[in-house]
Amino acid sequence: MAAPPNIVLFVTDTTRVDDAYDDSVAPTLAALGDRGLRATNAFATAPWTLPSHASILTGTVPSKHGAHADHEFLDDALPTLPGLLSEAGYETQCVSNNTWLAAESGFERGFDDFHHMWQLLQSSTSLSELVDVTDEDRLHTVASTLFEGNPLVNTTNALYRLYRDHRGDDGAERTTRWIRDWVADRSAERPFFLLANYIEPHLDYRPPRRLAAAHLPEDIGYEEAIAVSQAPWGYLAGHVSMSDRDFRALRGLYRAEIAHIDEQIAAVRAALADAGELENTVFVVVADHGENLGDHGLMDHQYCLYDSLVHVPLVISGGAFEGWGDLHEFVSLADIVPTLLDAAGVEAPDARAGFQGRSIHPTADADPRAFVVSEYRGPVPSIDALEHHVGDLPASVYDLDRSLRAIRTAEYKLVRGSDGTTELYDVATDPDEQRDVAASNPRVVRRLERRLDDWLSAFDHADPDGSVAIGGQRKARLEQLGYLQ
């Protein structure tokens, strides 16, 4: 009997499918897709990190796992992929560069070790709030946080965080070095599951100059591009003006960040090969969500469920996935858990009974999806937080104070808001979702609403009590970053 394969789940945070699947940007990913499985219609269950990662690890949607804007924590009610693999004898490791994918958010469950790569010394005091805060805010934050836990460790981590930010490095190279050292030194007695989150394509975009030069428009230099404002909430509020040229510059920087990630994919695979582990490894590359760069009048990845945020890359290579080719049927990120359990030969029937995902493993016999659903359970940051931190808001911004659900078929996409609004896009002829055709297609709207309602009524919804491990002080600090309500 063949030994169970190692599994590497490489998450490239905030990565659009159109740029990721451009072989001039990501040649390593293109090569993996050419010889493995490349999903052309993979969709995130949510447009931001916390709920999307929770779906990736539980095989369920936000309404079921309960980790979203109203409850910023993954509770222990559902089994997780690392937990199930650990029970099956796997060594389980996580390296994270996104402060939402943290032990403080409930994601450490099932992992033997969980490494916060924004820390030089691992500590339960995250200091995640040091990301993208003004110098004045940082001084206040550090002063109020250093004495939580070990002051020496906290001081070291604070200085490291500020040093790393100054270098414009989001942790990619350090993370890859950590993986190389770990895989070279580990015992080969057990197979391993490694979740590695890389955050480079997330704002701010500050790629290495050599990569920026290769991906910026010919008429825009590096210094000009770096000087372009990267203030999504200021742009949303109308306080920051952005030209088409500005967005072309940002898109070039963003593509360079994806190219940087592509180099890390190659380096991690080289490390696995050097350690003699690659041949028996299933290697998954996926994005948790995409990004708006002026699309629909938005920046960053909030307030909507357009395909620019929820249509994501997903490539699987190794094992039974070799030679598969392009998979054009719908895939939800909730499908990752059952797919990888199949790859590992783990049955887990009780856990599978609760999954909303379906396996896309070549040996699976699940029926193709007729549709996918994405959810945005609440605005992040809240409109009140925007108003507090940004100032006066135009009236149109208050219309974004709602939750959203989207159901997408091959022909249409329906987006329904908690405020009673309904949008319909003919994605077969309007893939950029520029023309709302709900008014002229009432029968399609009714049909898709019935299908969405039937889907919603088919499972038990999480009912979090609101008490989460993220304390009020951290919540206030994360709100300063533009993440929390």
Side-chain angles (χ1 to χ4, degrees), residues 102-294:
E104 290 173 281
S105 298
F107 285 101
E108 84 287 1
R109 188 161 50 92
F111 286 105
D112 295 332
D113 296 293
F114 199 104
H115 304 271
H116 303 107
M117 299 308 289
W118 56 89
Q119 295 180 337
L120 187 61
L121 305 175
Q122 296 301 298
S123 166
S124 60
T125 305
S126 167
L127 289 174
S128 57
E129 62 277 357
L130 295 180
V131 184
D132 299 335
V133 186
T134 65
D135 290 341
E136 181 180 352
D137 288 334
R138 282 179 171 175
L139 181 62
H140 172 75
T141 297
V142 171
S144 64
T145 309
L146 288 182
F147 293 96
E148 298 177 7
N150 187 316
L152 180 59
V153 170
N154 293 342
T155 300
T156 300
N157 285 334
L159 292 174
Y160 171 72
R161 176 81 234 192
L162 298 178
Y163 164 75
R164 195 181 81 167
D165 288 352
H166 179 71
R167 292 177 62 240
D169 178 74
D170 286 320
E173 293 177 4
R174 179 175 179 238
T175 299
T176 299
R177 286 196 303 271
W178 184 93
I179 293 172
R180 176 174 287 280
D181 292 344
W182 168 74
V183 77
D185 294 340
R186 68 176 294 274
S187 167
E189 294 179 359
R190 293 192 290 162
F192 66 81
F193 169 65
L194 170 66
L195 169 59
N197 170 285
Y198 285 74
I199 200 173
E200 269 61 28
H202 197 291
L203 280 169
D204 289 345
Y205 317 132
R206 297 193 177 276
R209 183 184 289 262
R210 61 180 175 81
L211 292 174
H215 294 283
L216 284 170
E218 291 183 359
D219 61 333
I220 299 177
Y222 178 80
E223 299 300 338
E224 177 187 349
I226 288 294
V228 171
S229 174
Q230 298 190 34
W233 314 136
Y235 172 70
L236 181 64
H239 301 164
V240 174
S241 178
M242 299 287 290
S243 66
D244 289 343
R245 183 180 179 86
D246 290 335
F247 281 121
R248 287 198 300 120
L250 291 187
R251 188 65 174 270
L253 294 177
Y254 175 76
R255 286 164 65 87
E257 292 282 30
I258 296 173
H260 191 196
I261 290 296
D262 193 68
E263 292 183 344
Q264 306 310 310
I265 295 172
V268 169
R269 289 180 61 81
L272 293 169
D274 290 345
E277 300 280 13
L278 183 60
E279 185 175 349
N280 192 37
T281 294
V282 172
F283 197 94
V284 184
V285 180
V286 68
D288 57 345
H289 55 77
E291 184 80 315
N292 281 317
L293 293 100

Side-chain angles (χ1 to χ4, degrees), residues 325-353:
D326 286 353
L327 178 66
H328 298 301
E329 63 189 60
F330 283 124
V331 178
S332 167
L333 295 195
D335 298 338
I336 288 176
V337 175
T339 299
L340 294 183
L341 290 181
D342 281 351
V346 176
E347 295 185 2
D350 292 341
R352 287 178 186 262

Side-chain angles (χ1 to χ4, degrees), residues 46-77:
W48 64 290
T49 296
L50 176 76
S52 184
H53 275 82
S55 292
I56 289 170
L57 294 179
T58 66
T60 62
V61 301
S63 286
K64 184 167 183 176
H65 62 59
H68 46 69
D70 296 326
H71 185 76
E72 306 91 358
F73 189 81
L74 179 60
D75 293 324
D76 60 3

